[in-house]
């Protein structure tokens, strides 16, 4: 017998209920975490999955985390037979992860009287250090083994008790073990919040009804996506863009995409053939990152109130040739794939989409998370420290409206660390923090301006930069001009300065100044003359 359609009212209530659970998980993680990167910048994500490891709800968190998280849940289920009270941990980019600092915890949710897990709760957070060659674990490495500790799917919690041997092994391989332990505890707590709230939902509706509503939610998302795809003109739309370099050579790296729309079927096929082979440096993207970028771009076609579920991708196929910049194979280094290559993949997807729907797509945003990591010894506390932050830039102008100045866009959804929190937690002094006036591209609608940030070191430290858009401008659309490229400087106490590469690691001295200028967004539409 064909199942009866789910009541729209019930579905709307259920959608809000499961979304609120994912949001509450995030709030619990943020409040109980230790590191400023998670507590202040909110570099974390939480989501809920059904019995088939399909995402049914996401918090309003980090797109690069969320679109790829199902791959980590799949990896856990394939590797482990989890029991009640168990929580798995993993960060392996080649087993569903993104890059090593993003550690994911997966908790199976068991319902009384039902065999096997009925749901899964997952939390992912960017840890400010996971070991490796460079403090902060975000340096210009050549192999993944140099990037930090690589954790396969294993049990961190067994039957409700932390596996202290596994935890000890992890903490002995990082520079800031107390901070890492605190952040992992916060992730465990977030997963348990999701477990309890979902059990409350099952107690209210019944197990069968929650499964029915979950299936209905996925089907509803798919219908919304197919409805949007049916509006697209039939055909193949191609685009390309380039990454500045891999940090090892100065050669640009091509990312190419073709999007083929079949409005009759309400489907789309995305093909990254023609993209450069994987590179020696650390900007390679694993497949989950490329998948996540596609998930994000097509989610942007939907309304704000659309449920974001696994149904998003039922109408979309993603082809990314193996051993390329968009689907790297081990032992390629991948730290920058998550933060830099992901942004360029989005730029290329939007550029292709603009050819099909020019009045719906913004110009390129700043296109680089401009990662800054600093590590050293903090004399105030007599402890090592590691600081990590992505730096905002200018949003691309949109049809009918200017871009926004100094904001995190696309694959990141984080905040800027407040100056007070930064100076309290680290031996730094923020000397300047302002908009980079005039860096947004001109156009009928102007691109947003980037930022200028100057951080004075109050201790000798290892400083690592991992950025992009220092060579190729963020593009404008419909006649708009490109945004300004970024700039990195090391300014010494005597006033002399040195231009730093976009991807580098140096040993800086106390009172040296790190000066960052982030790119502006592209303009949209032909600018007025005069």
């Amino acid at each position: 017998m064909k199942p009866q359609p789910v009541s729209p009212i019930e579905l709307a209530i259920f959608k809000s209920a499961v979304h609120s659970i994912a949001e509450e998980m995030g709030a619990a993680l943020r409040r109980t975490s230790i590191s400023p990167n998670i507590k202040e910048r909110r570099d974390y994500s939480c989501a809920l999955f059904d019995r088939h490891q399909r995402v049914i709800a996401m918090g309003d968190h980090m797109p690069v985390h969320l679109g790829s998280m199902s791959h980590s849940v799949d990896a856990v289920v394939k590797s482990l037979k989890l029991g009640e009270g168990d929580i798995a941990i993993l960060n392996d980019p080649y087993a569903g992860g993104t890059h090593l600092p993003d550690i994911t915890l997966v908790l199976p949710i068991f319902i009384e009287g039902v065999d096997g897990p009925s749901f899964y709760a997952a939390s992912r957070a960017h840890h400010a250090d996971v070991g490796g060659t460079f403090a902060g674990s975000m340096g210009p490495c050549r192999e993944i083994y140099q990037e930090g500790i690589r954790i396969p799917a294993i049990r961190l919690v067994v039957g409700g008790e932390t596996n202290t041997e596994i935890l000890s092994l992890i903490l002995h391989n990082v520079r800031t073990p107390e901070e890492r332990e605190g952040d992992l505890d916060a992730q465990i707590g977030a997963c348990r919040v999701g477990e309890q709230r979902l059990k409350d939902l099952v107690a209210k509706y019944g197990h069968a009804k929650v499964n029915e509503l979950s299936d209905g939610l996925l089907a509803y998302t798919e219908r919304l996506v197919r409805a949007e795809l049916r509006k697209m003109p039939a055909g193949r739309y191609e685009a390309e863009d380039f990454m500045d370099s891999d940090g090892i050579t100065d050669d640009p790296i091509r990312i190419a995409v073709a999007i083929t729309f079949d409005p009759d079927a309400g489907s789309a096929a995305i093909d990254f053939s023609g993209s450069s082979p994987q590179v020696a440096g650390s900007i390679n993207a694993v497949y989950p990152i490329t998948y996540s970028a596609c998930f994000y771009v097509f989610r942007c076609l939907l309304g704000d109130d659309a449920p974001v579920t696994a149904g998003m991708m039922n109408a979309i196929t993603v082809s990314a040739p193996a051993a390329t910049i968009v689907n790297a194979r081990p032992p390629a280094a991948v730290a920058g794939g998550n933060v830099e290559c992901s942004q360029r993949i989005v730029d290329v997807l939007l550029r292709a989409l603009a050819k099909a729907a020019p009045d719906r797509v913004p110009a390129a945003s700043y296109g680089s998370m401009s990662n800054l990591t600093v590590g050293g010894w903090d004399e105030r506390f007599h402890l090592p420290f590691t600081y990590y932050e992505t730096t905002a830039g200018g949003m691309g102008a949109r049809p009918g409206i200017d871009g926004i100045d100094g904001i995190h866009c696309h694959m990141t959804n984080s905040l800027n660390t407040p100056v007070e929190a930064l100076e309290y937690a680290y031996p730094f002094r923020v000397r300047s923090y302002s908009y980079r006036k005039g860096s947004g591209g001109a156009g009928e609608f102007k691109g947003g301006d980037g930022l200028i940030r100057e951080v004075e070191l109050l201790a000798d430290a290892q400083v690592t930069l991992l950025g992009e858009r220092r060579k190729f401008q963020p593009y404008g659309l419909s006649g708009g001009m490109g945004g300004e490229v970024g700039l990195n400087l090391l300014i010494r106490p005597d006033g002399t300065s040195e231009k730093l590469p976009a991807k580098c690691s140096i040993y800086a001295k106390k009172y040296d100044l790190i000066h960052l200028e982030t790119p502006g967004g592209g303009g949209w539409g032909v600018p007025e003359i005069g």
Side-chain angles (χ1 to χ4, degrees):
M1 180 181 292
K2 193 173 182 179
Q4 295 297 310
V6 178
S7 160
I9 295 174
E10 284 186 320
L11 198 62
I13 294 170
F14 180 75
K15 183 204 81 168
S16 296
V18 289
H19 178 258
S20 71
I21 293 172
E23 281 287 284
E24 186 179 353
M25 290 171 64
L29 174 51
R30 180 178 70 251
R31 288 196 304 266
T32 57
S33 60
I34 302 298
S35 66
N37 186 57
I38 299 174
K39 183 176 290 294
E40 300 288 352
R41 291 191 57 250
R42 306 187 183 187
D43 197 345
Y44 62 80
S45 299
C46 297
L48 296 171
F49 300 81
D50 72 1
R51 61 200 182 283
H52 302 300
Q53 303 95 56
R54 301 174 300 183
V55 64
I56 58 173
M58 301 175 172
D60 297 329
H61 302 147
M62 305 282 285
V64 74
H65 291 169
L66 292 165
S68 58
M69 202 184 293
S70 62
H71 296 267
S72 290
V73 179
D74 284 340
V76 166
V77 172
K78 288 175 181 176
S79 300
L80 303 172
K81 184 174 177 59
L82 295 174
E84 189 158 8
D86 293 353
I87 301 178
I89 182 173
L90 75 164
N91 73 344
D92 186 357
Y94 295 108
T98 51
H99 64 176
L100 296 181
D102 285 344
I103 297 179
T104 305
L105 301 190
V106 179
L107 180 152
I109 300 174
F110 291 83
I111 303 301
E112 188 175 354
V114 180
D115 292 334
S118 295
F119 307 94
Y120 297 88
S123 64
R124 174 175 286 173
H126 183 115
H127 288 250
D129 184 84
V130 290
T133 304
F134 300 96
S137 314
M138 290 290 292
C141 298
R142 289 174 177 261
E143 292 183 307
I144 193 169
Y145 314 114
Q146 299 171 316
E147 294 188 311
I149 185 169
R150 183 175 166 197
I151 309 168
I154 52 177
R155 292 175 180 83
L156 178 64
V157 177
V158 180
E161 298 295 328
T162 299
N163 185 335
T164 56
E165 293 178 352
I166 290 295
L167 180 62
S168 178
L169 175 64
I170 294 169
L171 298 182
H172 273 77
N173 282 277
V174 302
R175 294 172 176 84
T176 48
E178 290 183 4
E179 188 176 89
R180 300 287 64 75
E181 183 175 6
D183 288 344
L184 286 172
D185 283 344
Q187 287 185 254
I188 291 171
C191 287
R192 286 178 171 154
V193 166
E195 176 187 34
Q196 184 57 54
R197 294 294 179 265
L198 203 46
K199 284 185 174 181
D200 291 345
L201 209 59
V202 170
K204 179 178 180 179
Y205 288 101
H207 183 258
K209 186 66 174 179
V210 171
N211 280 337
E212 179 188 359
L213 290 168
S214 297
D215 292 342
L217 203 57
L218 269 67
Y220 178 51
T221 304
E222 181 179 348
R223 291 197 300 274
L224 291 176
V225 172
R226 290 192 185 276
E228 289 298 326
L229 295 178
R230 289 190 178 98
K231 299 175 187 176
M232 294 295 172
R236 178 182 172 94
Y237 301 90
E238 300 181 1
E240 67 175 15
D241 204 342
F242 294 84
M243 301 189 73
D244 295 343
S245 73
D246 67 349
I248 305 299
T249 74
D250 289 330
D251 298 335
I253 298 109
R254 180 177 189 248
I255 298 179
V257 73
I259 305 175
T260 302
F261 290 108
D262 182 351
D264 291 337
S267 65
I270 304 171
D271 184 6
F272 287 93
S273 296
S275 298
S276 292
Q278 66 187 57
V279 295
S282 64
I283 60 168
N284 300 288
V286 291
Y287 180 79
I289 290 172
T290 300
Y291 182 92
S292 188
C294 297
F295 189 109
Y296 163 76
V297 166
F298 280 82
R299 188 267 172 268
C300 290
L301 294 175
L302 305 183
D304 290 345
D305 60 346
V308 186
T309 73
M312 275 285 313
M313 299 300 284
N314 288 347
I316 301 166
T317 60
V318 180
S319 174
T324 64
I325 189 70
V326 292
N327 186 4
R329 288 289 180 259
V334 297
N338 183 68
V339 288
E340 299 303 296
C341 193
S342 70
Q343 294 284 65
R344 193 67 68 258
I345 294 169
V346 169
D347 289 344
V348 175
L349 286 165
L350 289 175
R351 201 171 204 171
L353 194 59
K355 295 179 179 180
D359 295 331
R360 298 186 65 182
V361 178
S365 294
Y366 56 95
S368 172
M369 297 193 199
S370 297
N371 305 268
L372 171 63
T373 49
V374 185
W377 184 262
D378 192 336
E379 290 290 352
R380 300 173 304 168
F381 307 119
H382 303 289
L383 289 170
F385 74 90
T386 53
Y387 158 76
Y388 169 73
E389 182 162 13
T390 62
T391 312
M395 176 190 283
R398 296 149 288 173
I401 188 169
D402 292 341
I404 300 174
D405 301 332
I407 189 171
H408 289 272
C409 302
H410 296 323
M411 297 306 280
T412 177
N413 192 28
S414 56
L415 303 180
N416 301 319
T417 304
V419 171
E420 297 85 355
L422 189 73
E423 293 183 342
Y424 175 80
Y426 302 105
F428 301 156
R429 183 178 292 118
V430 178
R431 287 295 190 182
S432 177
Y433 192 25
S434 63
Y435 292 120
R436 186 185 175 198
K437 297 296 184 183
S439 57
E444 180 184 359
F445 302 100
K446 176 186 171 298
D449 288 332
L451 292 176
I452 297 174
R453 194 168 205 184
E454 291 183 331
V455 177
E456 182 183 14
L457 304 177
L458 302 182
D460 294 351
Q462 185 182 34
V463 176
T464 304
L465 298 171
L466 184 56
E468 270 286 320
R469 291 295 194 199
R470 270 57 178 173
K471 184 187 298 183
F472 297 105
Q473 289 179 289
Y475 59 78
L477 284 179
S478 298
M481 306 300 291
E484 291 294 323
V485 297
L487 175 68
N488 308 321
L489 297 173
L490 174 67
I491 303 174
R492 299 181 180 86
D494 63 4
T496 60
S497 64
E498 173 188 349
K499 185 177 179 180
L500 297 175
K503 304 170 183 72
C504 67
S505 188
I506 62 170
Y507 286 94
K509 295 291 187 181
K510 187 176 182 179
Y511 302 127
D512 283 349
L513 200 67
I514 309 301
H515 175 102
L516 300 181
E517 298 185 19
T518 61
W524 195 96
V526 178
E528 292 184 6
I529 300 174

